[in-house]
Amino acid sequence: RLCKQIIEVIATMARRFVQNVWPELFPQLIESIKQAQNMAIRSLLFECIKKVCKKYRIMLSSADLVKE
């Protein structure tokens, strides 16, 4: 349960700051996936990426995506 809440916090922050303030987020998440020995941890990391990318799914084929 705590992991899900942390994922939500990271995703919320990333939706606001990923491009300008937190550009190393995706490289860090990908590196964490590579290093994770436990499949449950990898699953949580993928869930985090999925939540962060939700913003871009909504923006797909919109002018906002082109601007960002």
Side-chain angles (χ1 to χ4, degrees):
R1 176 90 178 125
L2 180 61
C3 290
K4 297 286 185 178
Q5 291 174 332
I6 292 171
I7 288 172
E8 279 299 323
V9 169
I10 291 171
T12 300
M13 290 173 55
R15 280 186 220 117
R16 293 183 178 196
F17 307 118
V18 74
Q19 287 299 100
N20 301 326
V21 181
W22 203 1
E24 68 276 0
L25 174 64
F26 282 111
Q28 287 176 347
L29 287 171
I30 291 167
E31 189 59 35
S32 295
I33 289 169
K34 289 179 185 178
Q35 293 178 0
Q37 301 294 320
N38 185 331
M39 286 305 291
I41 301 290
R42 285 184 180 170
S43 178
L44 288 170
L45 291 165
F46 278 119
E47 182 69 25
C48 186
I49 291 172
K50 178 181 159 189
K51 292 245 182 215
V52 171
C53 291
K54 184 176 181 180
K55 167 186 176 180
Y56 298 104
R57 285 195 310 263
I58 293 168
M59 291 171 53
L60 195 67
S61 75
S62 74
D64 291 337
L65 182 60
V66 174
K67 288 178 188 175
E68 189 166 327

